[in-house]
Amino acid sequence: MTDPGTDEAHQRRFDAMITAEERIEPRDWMPDAYRRTLIRQIAQHAHSEIIGMQPEGNWITRAPSLRRKAVLIAKVQDEAGHGLYLYSAAETLGVGRDELLDLLHQGRQRYSSIFNYPTVTWADVGAIGWLVDGAAITNQVPLCRCSYGPYARAMVRICKEESFHQRQGFDILYTLARGTDAQRRMAQESVDRWYWPSLMMFGPPDSESTHSEQSMAWNIKRFSNDELRQRFVDMIVPQAEALGLTLPDPALKWSAERGHYDFGTPDWDEFMQVLKGNGPCNRQRLEHRRTAHEEGAWVREAARAHAAKSRARQRAAA
Ligand code: BYC
């Protein structure tokens, strides 16, 4: 049994580390609720990375040139890599990757709402890079200063790769926006579809966010959902101008008084429906993931057999 006196001392030390902006490492004592919050967020983030491979993976066979295809393959591979860093970070908190994947497959853990929308045109690959990766960077750069060491360190590398991803999305849209009329229309139509869902990526409004206050007190989240959403809008408005495309938001307007762009309200009913599993592609995404996992069983088995053989060989040689 743990001694309550010791727990109190641990809690005091933990609180002092958070106040001093120090990093919490896997072997440090941490409150159960802190551990559970991190597992929830990191797992959700990892699941988003691997489910996020599907909408873009859908275009690998149809990319319009060899160069675009090579770049897209590399980007989708990067996302698998991000998933791996993040599952590893979650494992330092005492959960297994298999366990987390089971929870995803059973629909008991979430992944980002954004990946439940379909990629119906090539321009969607550009819009995902520009808007979705753009939103991801805005959300994730502050996570490089998250109080949990392994998550913060994973974020540094992920953010570097995400900035490159955003540039490739911008480049696709820039090319289309300067192409034929049909290409320009395709780019605009795609931005029209992805703008609102990308604003929803930051989560519900602060007034509805259940976890923000505690996560900010623990230095897991450094800014609220609405603060990051505002930052994102401020970033993309001039970028849309450079692209020569418009954002489908009649309320968008510079506010000299606030020093920020005013913008409209996303359709939060739609967001809630997507979270409940009723988005356009929820069922398809999970089904595809489960099938990929089942079909990959022989790879995991072969890797385990190989590891066992290598260990046996090492033992024999020692
Ligand atoms: N989608 O209290 P709140 C990528 C849930 S991958 C689904 O504000 P929190 C990429 C939330 O979980 C990008 N669910 O929550 C990959 C909670 O429900 P539960 C992924 C959402 O955690 C491939 C409830 O709503 N990035 O960039 O304080 C290709 C209340 O919300 C969403 C990350 O995961 C959502 N959008 O804040 C290209 C970043 N929003 O769990 C690109 C790390 C909220 O109580 N995560 N919910 O049932 C975070 O920063 C935070 O978890 C969030 C939400 C800002 C997302």
Side-chain angles (χ1 to χ4, degrees):
M1 217 175 85
T2 49
D3 171 0
T6 316
D7 263 6
E8 262 174 44
H10 282 317
Q11 179 74 52
R12 270 199 304 279
R13 174 151 171 68
F14 173 85
D15 292 343
M17 285 174 79
I18 295 289
T19 309
E21 295 273 333
E22 282 176 41
R23 286 269 161 84
I24 308 296
E25 295 297 338
R27 290 189 184 153
D28 291 333
W29 183 93
M30 59 188 88
D32 274 350
Y34 176 82
R35 187 185 297 276
R36 280 198 306 273
T37 294
L38 279 167
I39 292 175
R40 179 185 61 79
Q41 179 166 326
I42 301 173
Q44 179 171 320
H45 196 163
H47 300 329
S48 305
E49 296 285 355
I50 61 166
I51 296 270
M53 296 167 72
Q54 292 185 36
E56 290 169 287
N58 180 34
W59 277 92
I60 289 175
T61 54
R62 291 171 291 163
S65 70
L66 181 61
R67 179 173 157 266
R68 293 285 189 206
K69 190 195 281 272
V71 172
L72 184 57
I73 290 173
K75 178 180 194 277
V76 173
Q77 281 177 340
D78 282 353
E79 279 145 15
H82 297 174
L84 293 182
Y85 311 151
L86 288 162
Y87 285 120
S88 300
E91 282 182 315
T92 65
L93 291 156
V95 279
R97 190 179 309 183
D98 286 351
E99 202 182 321
L100 296 178
L101 284 172
D102 282 347
L103 291 169
L104 169 67
H105 297 154
Q106 291 160 15
R108 289 168 58 202
Q109 277 184 340
R110 301 186 185 285
Y111 58 88
S112 181
S113 50
I114 193 76
F115 301 117
N116 293 305
Y117 291 85
T119 40
V120 292
T121 68
W122 167 250
D124 289 353
V125 174
I128 290 185
W130 177 46
L131 292 173
V132 175
D133 288 275
I137 299 167
T138 309
N139 166 274
Q140 286 167 201
V141 165
L143 291 175
C144 297
R145 292 190 295 112
C146 156
S147 57
Y148 188 57
Y151 189 30
R153 288 189 286 276
M155 276 304 124
V156 173
R157 178 148 174 198
I158 291 178
C159 283
K160 284 186 184 156
E161 292 176 355
E162 296 286 18
S163 344
F164 185 71
H165 293 173
Q166 197 205 10
R167 289 298 297 272
Q168 69 86 40
F170 187 90
D171 183 64
I172 290 173
L173 290 181
Y174 192 85
T175 306
L176 291 175
R178 275 150 192 76
T180 62
D181 281 352
Q183 286 172 324
R184 216 199 69 75
R185 274 198 304 277
M186 179 168 67
Q188 183 60 60
E189 186 275 333
S190 175
V191 169
D192 290 347
R193 271 182 297 110
W194 288 92
Y195 172 76
W196 293 107
S198 68
L199 292 191
M200 295 176 195
M201 284 177 74
F202 296 92
D206 292 352
S207 54
E208 307 290 321
S209 166
T210 37
H211 305 290
S212 281
E213 197 180 331
Q214 181 60 73
S215 289
M216 287 173 75
W218 278 326
N219 293 347
I220 295 174
K221 283 170 88 161
R222 313 303 302 228
F223 297 97
S224 77
N225 299 355
D226 287 335
E227 283 168 337
L228 291 173
R229 205 175 347 261
Q230 177 72 64
R231 209 179 258 207
F232 175 63
V233 170
D234 289 347
M235 175 181 85
I236 60 172
V237 171
Q239 292 180 350
E241 280 163 14
L243 284 169
L245 298 173
T246 55
L247 296 170
D249 185 347
L252 256 187
K253 193 161 136 291
W254 176 252
S255 160
E257 192 188 324
R258 295 197 310 119
H260 291 290
Y261 283 93
D262 291 336
F263 58 100
T265 306
D267 180 346
W268 293 117
D269 290 339
E270 175 182 318
F271 175 72
M272 288 317 295
Q273 282 304 320
V274 174
L275 257 60
K276 282 189 192 143
N278 302 325
C281 300
N282 292 60
R283 267 168 275 277
Q284 179 190 332
R285 298 289 185 241
L286 261 190
E287 197 53 47
H288 189 82
R289 174 92 271 288
R290 286 192 204 107
T291 308
H293 191 69
E294 281 157 23
E295 288 176 354
W298 70 271
V299 180
R300 291 188 294 280
E301 205 176 302
R304 271 194 293 272
H306 177 72
K309 268 192 202 162
S310 308
R311 271 197 304 274
R313 246 184 255 123
Q314 273 165 9
R315 269 199 302 272

